[in-house]
Amino acid sequence: MMAAGWILEWGSDHQSREIDRPLVIGRGREADVILTDPFVSRRHCVVAVEDGRPYVDSRGSLNQVSVGGRAVDVAVLASGDSFVVGVTPFRVWSAQGVDDAPTEPLSEAPGATRGARLVLRCLSRELVDHQGTLVARFSPSECLAFEEIARRYPEVATFGQLGAAVWGGIGFDQFQLQRLMGRVRDRLGHSAGLLQNIRGAGYRVSEPIIMA
């Protein structure tokens, strides 16, 4: 199949390459995109183009990828769509400007959801859904931490970044930060799964959140 015209971009330094053949992403030396991340498998997933459309496929790996904040095995992507492998964000672009189809899951795993369904009202420190129903109300320090994590989606907010956001980078330790994040999780209640602890790296949210 013709694969020309689709670009894969990744990382904070925006590395990129053309998807001119199936590209393997993983920790192994045989991978086309090598990630030094303990949360990534040696052969974590493949990005390829079929019938003119790019897709990401992690079937055969012990780990999934995150597309639109949801863990999936495989999903078709449109131009501008992003996904996360371990803690590294990826995005696909069409060199021809094609963006005419939504992200769609190809397996029975939870699919991708475009757009945000939650809003963080920073002044009132409230997290609400799209209908305005209250999901959580935070204290000032809890809101600063959650805002920092949500602002960095889909990347991870590191412990240092959280410490700088809440305490100015001084006068805190790991235990203090863990206690704070425990309170944030408690505030989220039934939505606690929204907050993900990436062991040894930091925290991230599982879906995009609008700041208001």
Side-chain angles (χ1 to χ4, degrees), residues 117-166:
R117 67 180 182 88
L118 297 175
V119 178
L120 179 63
R121 296 172 176 170
C122 299
L123 290 179
S124 61
R125 304 190 302 275
E126 294 175 333
L127 182 67
V128 299
D129 64 18
H130 65 283
Q131 295 179 328
T133 303
L134 183 68
V135 175
R137 181 177 287 112
F138 301 110
S139 71
S141 59
E142 292 163 358
C143 190
L144 286 172
F146 190 79
E147 180 182 356
E148 181 70 11
I149 297 168
R151 185 174 63 83
R152 293 184 179 276
Y153 174 86
E155 298 184 26
V156 172
T158 67
F159 302 128
Q161 289 165 342
L162 287 170
V166 179

Side-chain angles (χ1 to χ4, degrees), residues 42-56:
R42 292 181 60 82
R43 183 184 173 91
H44 196 105
C45 64
V46 174
V47 177
V49 176
E50 183 173 343
D51 295 329
R53 296 291 306 280
Y55 66 92
V56 57

Side-chain angles (χ1 to χ4, degrees), residues 39 41 43-47 54-77 81-86 90 103-114 153 196 204 206:
F39 302 100
S41 304
R43 183 184 173 91
H44 196 105
C45 64
V46 174
V47 177
Y55 66 92
V56 57
D57 187 349
S58 66
R59 290 174 296 186
S61 170
L62 295 177
N63 297 299
Q64 295 178 303
V65 296
S66 176
V67 183
R70 296 179 182 271
V72 301
D73 291 313
V74 56
V76 173
L77 304 168
D81 278 351
S82 62
F83 61 94
V84 179
V85 179
F90 286 78
T103 303
E104 56 181 299
L106 292 183
S107 69
E108 294 181 357
T113 301
R114 297 188 113 186
Y153 174 86
Q196 300 177 337
R204 71 180 175 197
S206 60

